Coordinates of all heavy atoms in Angstrom, one line a residue:
V113 N 9.2 -10.0 -16.6 CA 7.9 -9.6 -17.0 C 6.9 -9.5 -15.9 O 6.1 -8.6 -15.8 CB 7.4 -10.5 -18.2 CG1 6.0 -10.1 -18.6 CG2 8.3 -10.3 -19.4
R114 N 6.9 -10.6 -15.1 CA 5.9 -10.6 -14.0 C 6.1 -9.5 -13.0 O 5.1 -9.0 -12.4 CB 5.9 -12.0 -13.3 CG 5.3 -13.1 -14.2 CD 5.0 -14.3 -13.4 NE 6.2 -15.0 -12.9 CZ 6.1 -16.1 -12.2 NH1 5.0 -16.6 -11.8 NH2 7.3 -16.7 -11.8
L115 N 7.3 -9.2 -12.7 CA 7.5 -8.1 -11.8 C 7.1 -6.7 -12.4 O 6.6 -5.9 -11.7 CB 9.0 -8.0 -11.4 CG 9.5 -9.1 -10.5 CD1 11.0 -9.0 -10.2 CD2 8.7 -9.2 -9.1
R116 N 7.3 -6.6 -13.7 CA 6.9 -5.3 -14.3 C 5.4 -5.2 -14.4 O 4.8 -4.2 -14.2 CB 7.5 -5.3 -15.8 CG 9.0 -5.1 -15.8 CD 9.4 -4.5 -17.1 NE 9.0 -5.3 -18.3 CZ 9.7 -6.3 -18.8 NH1 10.8 -6.7 -18.2 NH2 9.2 -7.0 -19.8
E117 N 4.7 -6.4 -14.5 CA 3.2 -6.4 -14.5 C 2.8 -6.0 -13.1 O 1.8 -5.2 -13.0 CB 2.7 -7.8 -14.8 CG 2.8 -8.1 -16.3 CD 2.4 -9.6 -16.6 OE1 2.2 -10.3 -15.6 OE2 2.3 -9.9 -17.8
R118 N 3.4 -6.4 -12.1 CA 3.1 -6.0 -10.7 C 3.3 -4.5 -10.5 O 2.5 -3.8 -9.9 CB 3.9 -6.8 -9.7 CG 3.4 -6.6 -8.3 CD 4.2 -7.4 -7.2 NE 4.1 -8.9 -7.4 CZ 4.1 -9.7 -6.4 NH1 4.2 -9.3 -5.1 NH2 4.0 -11.0 -6.6
E119 N 4.4 -4.0 -11.1 CA 4.6 -2.6 -11.1 C 3.5 -1.8 -11.7 O 3.1 -0.7 -11.2 CB 5.9 -2.3 -11.8 CG 6.4 -0.8 -11.7 CD 7.7 -0.6 -12.3 OE1 8.0 -1.2 -13.4 OE2 8.5 0.3 -11.8
L120 N 3.0 -2.2 -12.8 CA 1.8 -1.6 -13.4 C 0.6 -1.5 -12.5 O -0.1 -0.5 -12.5 CB 1.5 -2.2 -14.8 CG 2.5 -2.1 -15.9 CD1 2.1 -2.9 -17.1 CD2 2.6 -0.6 -16.3
L121 N 0.4 -2.6 -11.8 CA -0.7 -2.7 -10.9 C -0.5 -1.6 -9.8 O -1.5 -1.0 -9.3 CB -0.9 -4.1 -10.3 CG -1.4 -5.2 -11.3 CD1 -1.3 -6.5 -10.6 CD2 -2.8 -4.8 -11.8
K122 N 0.7 -1.5 -9.3 CA 1.0 -0.5 -8.2 C 0.7 0.9 -8.8 O 0.2 1.8 -8.0 CB 2.4 -0.6 -7.7 CG 2.8 -2.0 -7.2 CD 2.0 -2.3 -5.9 CE 2.4 -3.6 -5.3 NZ 1.7 -4.0 -4.1
S123 N 1.0 1.2 -10.0 CA 0.8 2.5 -10.6 C -0.7 2.7 -10.7 O -1.2 3.9 -10.5 CB 1.4 2.6 -12.0 OG 2.8 2.6 -11.9
A124 N -1.5 1.7 -11.0 CA -2.9 1.9 -11.0 C -3.5 2.2 -9.6 O -4.4 3.0 -9.5 CB -3.6 0.6 -11.6
V125 N -2.9 1.6 -8.6 CA -3.4 1.9 -7.2 C -3.1 3.4 -6.9 O -3.9 4.1 -6.3 CB -2.7 1.0 -6.2 CG1 -3.0 1.4 -4.8 CG2 -3.2 -0.5 -6.5
L126 N -1.9 3.8 -7.3 CA -1.5 5.2 -7.1 C -2.5 6.2 -7.8 O -3.0 7.2 -7.2 CB -0.1 5.5 -7.5 CG 0.4 6.9 -7.4 CD1 0.3 7.5 -6.0 CD2 1.8 7.1 -8.0
A127 N -2.8 5.9 -9.0 CA -3.8 6.7 -9.8 C -5.1 6.7 -9.1 O -5.8 7.8 -9.0 CB -3.9 6.2 -11.2
D128 N -5.6 5.6 -8.6 CA -6.9 5.5 -7.9 C -6.8 6.4 -6.6 O -7.8 7.1 -6.3 CB -7.2 4.1 -7.5 CG -7.6 3.2 -8.7 OD1 -7.9 3.8 -9.7 OD2 -7.6 2.0 -8.5
A129 N -5.7 6.4 -5.9 CA -5.6 7.2 -4.7 C -5.6 8.7 -5.0 O -6.2 9.5 -4.3 CB -4.3 6.8 -4.0
I130 N -4.9 9.1 -6.1 CA -4.9 10.5 -6.5 C -6.3 10.9 -7.0 O -6.8 12.0 -6.6 CB -3.9 10.7 -7.6 CG1 -2.5 10.5 -7.1 CG2 -4.0 12.1 -8.2 CD1 -1.4 10.5 -8.2
E131 N -7.0 10.1 -7.7 CA -8.3 10.4 -8.2 C -9.3 10.6 -7.0 O -10.0 11.5 -6.9 CB -8.9 9.3 -9.1 CG -10.3 9.6 -9.6 CD -10.7 8.5 -10.6 OE1 -10.0 7.6 -10.9 OE2 -11.9 8.5 -10.9
S132 N -9.1 9.7 -6.0 CA -10.0 9.8 -4.8 C -9.7 11.1 -4.0 O -10.6 11.8 -3.5 CB -9.7 8.6 -3.9 OG -10.5 8.7 -2.7
A133 N -8.4 11.5 -3.9 CA -8.0 12.7 -3.2 C -8.6 13.9 -4.0 O -9.0 14.9 -3.3 CB -6.5 12.8 -3.1
L134 N -8.6 13.9 -5.3 CA -9.1 15.0 -6.1 C -10.6 15.1 -5.8 O -11.2 16.2 -5.7 CB -8.8 14.8 -7.5 CG -7.3 15.0 -7.9 CD1 -7.2 14.6 -9.4 CD2 -6.8 16.4 -7.7
L135 N -11.3 14.0 -5.8 CA -12.7 14.0 -5.5 C -13.0 14.6 -4.2 O -14.0 15.3 -4.0 CB -13.3 12.6 -5.7 CG -13.3 12.0 -7.1 CD1 -13.7 10.5 -7.0 CD2 -14.2 12.8 -8.0
D136 N -12.2 14.3 -3.2 CA -12.3 14.9 -1.9 C -12.2 16.4 -1.9 O -12.7 17.1 -1.0 CB -11.3 14.3 -0.9 CG -11.6 12.8 -0.6 OD1 -12.8 12.4 -0.8 OD2 -10.7 12.1 -0.1
H137 N -11.5 16.9 -2.9 CA -11.4 18.4 -3.0 C -12.5 18.9 -3.9 O -12.3 20.1 -4.4 CB -10.0 18.7 -3.5 CG -8.9 18.8 -2.5 ND1 -8.6 20.0 -1.9 CD2 -8.2 17.9 -1.9 CE1 -7.6 19.8 -1.0 NE2 -7.3 18.5 -1.0
N138 N -13.5 18.1 -4.2 CA -14.6 18.6 -5.0 C -14.3 18.8 -6.4 O -15.0 19.6 -7.1 CB -15.3 19.8 -4.4 CG -15.8 19.6 -3.0 OD1 -16.5 18.5 -2.7 ND2 -15.6 20.5 -2.1
V139 N -13.2 18.2 -6.9 CA -12.9 18.2 -8.4 C -14.0 17.3 -9.0 O -14.3 16.2 -8.5 CB -11.5 17.6 -8.6 CG1 -11.3 17.5 -10.1 CG2 -10.5 18.5 -8.0
D140 N -14.5 17.7 -10.2 CA -15.6 16.9 -10.8 C -15.0 15.6 -11.3 O -13.8 15.5 -11.6 CB -16.2 17.7 -12.0 CG -15.3 17.8 -13.2 OD1 -15.3 16.9 -14.0 OD2 -14.5 18.8 -13.2
P141 N -15.8 14.6 -11.2 CA -15.3 13.2 -11.5 C -14.6 13.0 -12.8 O -13.6 12.3 -12.9 CB -16.6 12.3 -11.4 CG -17.5 13.1 -10.5 CD -17.2 14.6 -10.8
A142 N -15.1 13.6 -13.9 CA -14.5 13.5 -15.2 C -13.1 14.1 -15.2 O -12.1 13.5 -15.7 CB -15.3 14.2 -16.3
T143 N -12.9 15.2 -14.6 CA -11.6 15.8 -14.5 C -10.6 15.0 -13.6 O -9.5 14.8 -13.9 CB -11.7 17.3 -13.9 OG1 -12.5 18.0 -14.8 CG2 -10.3 17.9 -13.8
A144 N -11.1 14.5 -12.5 CA -10.3 13.7 -11.6 C -9.9 12.4 -12.3 O -8.7 12.0 -12.2 CB -11.1 13.4 -10.3
A145 N -10.8 11.8 -13.1 CA -10.4 10.6 -13.8 C -9.4 10.8 -14.9 O -8.6 9.9 -15.2 CB -11.7 10.0 -14.4
L146 N -9.4 12.0 -15.4 CA -8.4 12.4 -16.5 C -7.0 12.7 -15.9 O -6.0 12.3 -16.3 CB -8.9 13.6 -17.3 CG -7.9 14.1 -18.3 CD1 -7.7 13.1 -19.4 CD2 -8.5 15.4 -19.0
L147 N -7.0 13.5 -14.8 CA -5.8 14.0 -14.2 C -5.0 13.0 -13.4 O -3.8 13.0 -13.4 CB -6.1 15.2 -13.3 CG -6.6 16.5 -14.0 CD1 -6.7 17.6 -13.0 CD2 -5.8 16.9 -15.2
A148 N -5.7 12.0 -12.8 CA -5.0 11.1 -11.9 C -4.0 10.2 -12.7 O -2.8 10.1 -12.3 CB -6.0 10.2 -11.2

Side-chain angles (χ1 to χ4, degrees):
V113 173
R114 288 198 289 178
L115 290 176
R116 292 201 304 273
E117 289 175 348
R118 190 180 293 215
E119 183 179 35
L120 290 174
L121 292 175
K122 301 295 183 181
S123 291
V125 172
L126 175 58
D128 288 344
I130 294 173
E131 181 177 353
S132 178
L134 291 174
L135 293 173
D136 289 342
H137 275 265
N138 298 316
V139 175
D140 70 89
T143 300
L146 175 64
L147 295 185

